[in-house]
Amino acid sequence: IMNSTDELNHFISSVLELTKVESNRVTLNLVSKDLNQLIENVLTRLKTQCASHSIQIETDLEPLFPIRLDSSLIEKVLTNLIDNAVKYSSEGKKVIVRTRDTGTHVEVSVIDE
């Protein structure tokens, strides 16, 4: 019951966030941050979940300059992407998180098997 309640709460929060974004009522709090560090923070929080699913996380983080972003919003997006990759991967598989500087923007990839 507790797990179902947590999942439902997470789902409702996600829907509310999406509604805010779609209605253009999101106020971005842009600050200069290290995107790779945000990714490492998310991976640290998800470490137990990865271990319980026997999922190996591999990172390929290209050195990046700090960029202006809304760290709270980006952390939510990263958490959602990585969490889904872990949930829907078979045991013993790996998830790769990669960053690249393309010269005009930063690309983040979450690759699962």
Side-chain angles (χ1 to χ4, degrees):
I1 292 174
M2 290 301 292
N3 287 340
S4 295
T5 302
D6 289 342
E7 286 181 21
L8 182 58
N9 186 33
H10 178 71
F11 176 73
I12 291 170
S13 295
S14 296
V15 169
L16 290 173
E17 287 293 323
L18 180 61
T19 302
K20 284 183 193 176
V21 169
E22 289 180 341
S23 68
N24 293 323
R25 291 188 298 178
V26 172
T27 303
L28 297 177
N29 181 24
L30 299 177
V31 294
S32 185
K33 288 276 189 177
D34 180 349
L35 181 59
N36 288 338
Q37 185 59 53
L38 291 178
I39 291 169
E40 293 289 350
N41 293 346
V42 169
L43 293 176
T44 298
R45 282 197 308 274
L46 294 175
K47 186 184 288 188
T48 303
Q49 179 183 350
C50 294
S52 69
H53 285 84
S54 299
I55 301 295
Q56 176 189 350
I57 298 289
E58 184 178 301
T59 57
D60 181 14
L61 306 177
E62 187 173 286
L64 302 171
F65 288 105
I67 58 175
R68 291 181 50 78
L69 50 78
D70 184 320
S71 60
S72 176
L73 188 57
I74 294 297
E75 281 194 32
K76 286 179 186 177
V77 170
L78 291 168
T79 299
N80 188 37
L81 289 171
I82 297 167
D83 179 59
N84 283 341
V86 170
K87 276 184 192 176
Y88 299 109
S89 291
S90 300
E91 283 194 20
K93 298 294 184 179
K94 69 178 169 184
V95 171
I96 303 167
V97 182
R98 180 178 294 146
T99 58
R100 294 282 178 262
D101 182 350
T102 67
T104 57
H105 62 277
V106 173
E107 180 181 290
V108 177
S109 303
V110 177
I111 305 157
D112 60 15
E113 297 180 334

